[in-house]
């Protein structure tokens, strides 16, 4: 099973004790993947459809616990390419459907369907615990998380911009950076940062998935840190080797065209040491001198040698 599937499986087995939290979670599921049908007698029939067995099981359990209603469950094979099984949870009794719709505030006192589940207007998600439950239900109904081994991405797909904005604002209330992007005819609320996804899992109380993600994040950060250090050390080594090769070439040029005896005493000793120890660092070369010289002193002498070699090359070119 995928990381996203494991997270939903974990959340499906977590049932809030408080009825108001159960109702908030039911509201999110109905809002994002529910259907309200009206028959010729102007009676309501509430349906919820999903391809995830864990989500169907959670919705069935919540309805049963919160309203003492036993929904009807049907299963059929989908018509899409992957032929996935589709689970349909139906509340056949119009009175039961109306009671649920009124409880989750999807229908007003006049019997008009209302799907404005904004956090400012809907009293069922005013409490912080109910906001947690609502986010949990929204993720179960229409959310997914990418494999954190590959990249970090958390999203919930909404059918309308107003629902996406409401959900984004709810997530922002937990100090989690969430954004909205339009994808074809849908609006997607998404979180990209690994640390922010960890916070979202904590809000939904997916503790097992949270620990798995944290472990992966720690390992990835350690690998990235090691890679950065290796790359840095490799770059420094290449720089040191290139500089040593160039210095040896300059000294060899001076030796062939003017002789090392032409160099001042301090530079001559430095040149001889570089030829004898081509792989030595500046610090090691400085310790070989008598008296010893620091890295900056060694670098200064080698620069002077390089200037002398360059001057010799210029003179040779002019004489040709």
């Amino acid at each position: 099973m995928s990381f996203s599937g494991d997270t939903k499986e974990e959340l499906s087995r977590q049932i809030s004790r408080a009825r108001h939290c159960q109702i908030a979670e039911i509201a999110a599921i109905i809002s994002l993947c529910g259907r309200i049908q009206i028959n010729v007698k102007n009676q309501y029939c509430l349906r919820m459809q999903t391809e995830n067995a864990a989500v169907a099981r959670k919705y069935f359990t919540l309805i049963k616990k919160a309203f003492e209603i036993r929904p009807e469950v049907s299963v059929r094979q989908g018509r899409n390419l992957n032929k996935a099984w589709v689970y349909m949870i139906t509340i056949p009794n119009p009175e039961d459907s109306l009671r649920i719709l009124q409880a989750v505030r999807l229908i007003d006192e006049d019997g008009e369907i209302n799907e404005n589940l904004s956090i400012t207007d809907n009293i069922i998600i005013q409490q912080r615990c109910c906001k947690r439950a609502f986010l949990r239900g929204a993720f179960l109904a229409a959310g997914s998380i990418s494999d954190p081994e590959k990249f970090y991405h958390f999203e919930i797909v909404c059918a309308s911009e107003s629902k996406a904005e409401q959900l984004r604002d709810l997530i922002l209330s937990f100090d989690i950076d969430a954004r909205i992007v339009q994808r074809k005819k849908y609006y997607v609320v998404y979180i990209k940062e690994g640390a922010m996804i960890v916070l979202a899992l904590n809000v939904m109380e997916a503790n097992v998935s949270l620990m798995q993600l944290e472990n992966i994040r720690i390992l990835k950060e350690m690998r990235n840190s090691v890679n950065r250090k290796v790359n840095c050390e490799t770059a420094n080594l290449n720089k040191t080797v290139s500089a040593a090769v160039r210095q040896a070439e300059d000294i060899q040029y001076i030796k062939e065209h003017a002789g090392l005896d032409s160099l001042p005493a301090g530079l001559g000793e430095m040149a001889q040491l570089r030829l004898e120890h081509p792989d030595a660092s500046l610090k090691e070369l400085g310790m070989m001198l008598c008296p010893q010289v620091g890295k900056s002193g060694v670098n200064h002498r080698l620069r002077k040698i390089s200037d002398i070699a360059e001057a010799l090359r210029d003179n040779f070119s002019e004489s040709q």
Side-chain angles (χ1 to χ4, degrees):
M1 190 180 291
S2 66
F3 182 80
S4 186
D6 288 339
T7 303
K8 288 191 176 185
E9 183 67 33
E10 178 185 358
L11 293 176
S12 72
R13 300 184 183 282
Q14 181 179 335
I15 307 296
S16 301
R17 293 183 179 180
R19 185 172 184 271
H20 50 81
C21 291
Q22 295 171 4
I23 290 174
E25 194 164 350
I26 290 170
I29 295 173
I30 293 174
S31 178
L32 290 170
C33 66
R35 295 179 182 178
I36 302 173
Q37 296 179 338
I38 305 176
N39 62 20
V40 292
K41 295 181 180 180
N42 203 31
Q43 294 175 324
Y44 296 108
C45 178
L46 183 57
R47 298 177 186 274
M48 193 282 288
Q49 180 175 304
T50 179
E51 293 182 0
N52 192 307
V55 177
R57 183 176 64 245
K58 179 66 175 291
Y59 179 73
F60 180 94
T61 304
L62 287 172
I63 293 292
K64 188 177 176 183
K65 282 185 173 292
F67 298 99
E68 296 183 353
I69 296 171
R70 190 175 185 86
E72 290 183 357
V73 181
S74 59
V75 184
R76 61 175 175 81
Q77 195 167 32
R79 299 176 182 177
N80 48 12
L81 293 176
N82 60 6
K83 301 294 183 182
W85 292 103
V86 177
Y87 301 86
M88 181 76 76
I89 313 295
T90 306
I91 312 296
N93 189 311
E95 292 181 0
D96 289 338
S97 294
L98 182 60
R99 186 153 61 96
I100 294 170
L101 291 172
Q102 288 173 337
V104 299
R105 301 300 194 275
L106 278 173
I107 193 170
D108 60 25
E109 295 177 355
D110 298 324
E112 295 295 327
I113 296 173
N114 175 24
E115 294 206 21
N116 180 21
L117 292 176
S118 68
I119 60 175
T120 56
D121 296 335
N122 201 311
I123 62 172
I124 66 168
I125 45 176
Q126 290 299 304
Q127 298 185 65
R128 197 167 180 83
C129 59
C130 293
K131 290 180 182 180
R132 289 175 177 269
F134 187 88
L135 179 58
R136 183 164 57 243
F139 175 76
L140 281 168
S144 64
I145 305 180
S146 64
D147 182 356
E149 290 280 7
K150 299 176 181 177
F151 58 94
Y152 302 125
H153 185 80
F154 173 106
E155 71 175 36
I156 299 175
V157 181
C158 303
S160 67
E161 187 175 8
S162 61
K163 285 185 182 181
E165 290 175 348
Q166 174 244 325
L167 189 58
R168 178 201 58 195
D169 292 343
L170 186 146
I171 295 172
L172 289 173
S173 71
F174 289 98
D175 296 324
I176 300 172
D177 185 21
R179 301 181 184 182
I180 298 174
V181 64
Q182 188 171 2
R183 186 185 298 159
K184 295 183 180 179
K185 63 178 181 179
Y186 297 102
Y187 294 85
V188 180
V189 182
Y190 69 94
I191 304 170
K192 294 295 290 185
E193 270 189 58
M196 293 290 104
I197 295 175
V198 167
L199 291 177
L201 290 173
N202 182 54
V203 168
M204 296 189 298
E205 299 176 295
N207 299 322
V208 175
S209 297
L210 185 154
M211 292 305 299
Q212 290 176 349
L213 178 56
E214 280 286 53
N215 289 337
I216 292 171
R217 285 183 66 226
I218 291 170
L219 289 174
K220 287 176 73 172
E221 287 175 7
M222 287 179 61
R223 285 198 295 264
N224 291 338
S225 177
V226 170
N227 288 338
R228 283 194 297 269
K229 289 180 180 179
V230 170
N231 291 338
C232 182
E233 290 176 359
T234 301
N236 289 336
L237 181 60
N238 289 336
K239 184 178 178 181
T240 300
V241 171
S242 297
V245 170
R246 187 174 63 254
Q247 292 159 6
E249 290 176 349
D250 289 340
I251 294 168
Q252 193 63 37
Y253 188 86
I254 295 172
K255 184 177 181 181
E256 292 175 357
H257 292 80
L260 296 183
D261 294 339
S262 65
L263 295 172
L267 298 185
E269 184 183 6
M270 185 78 261
Q272 190 62 45
L273 280 174
R274 171 49 84 194
L275 289 179
E276 293 173 358
H277 306 279
D279 298 328
S281 65
L282 297 183
K283 183 179 180 180
E284 291 169 340
L285 288 174
M287 295 180 68
M288 296 177 191
L289 293 169
C290 188
Q292 294 182 353
V293 177
K295 287 174 61 177
S296 60
V298 172
N299 187 52
H300 179 69
R301 294 186 185 188
L302 289 171
R303 283 183 179 275
K304 280 192 172 183
I305 293 171
S306 179
D307 292 341
I308 293 171
E310 194 61 33
L312 285 174
R313 289 190 183 97
D314 291 341
N315 293 334
F316 181 76
S317 297
E318 290 175 1
S319 65
Q320 293 296 314

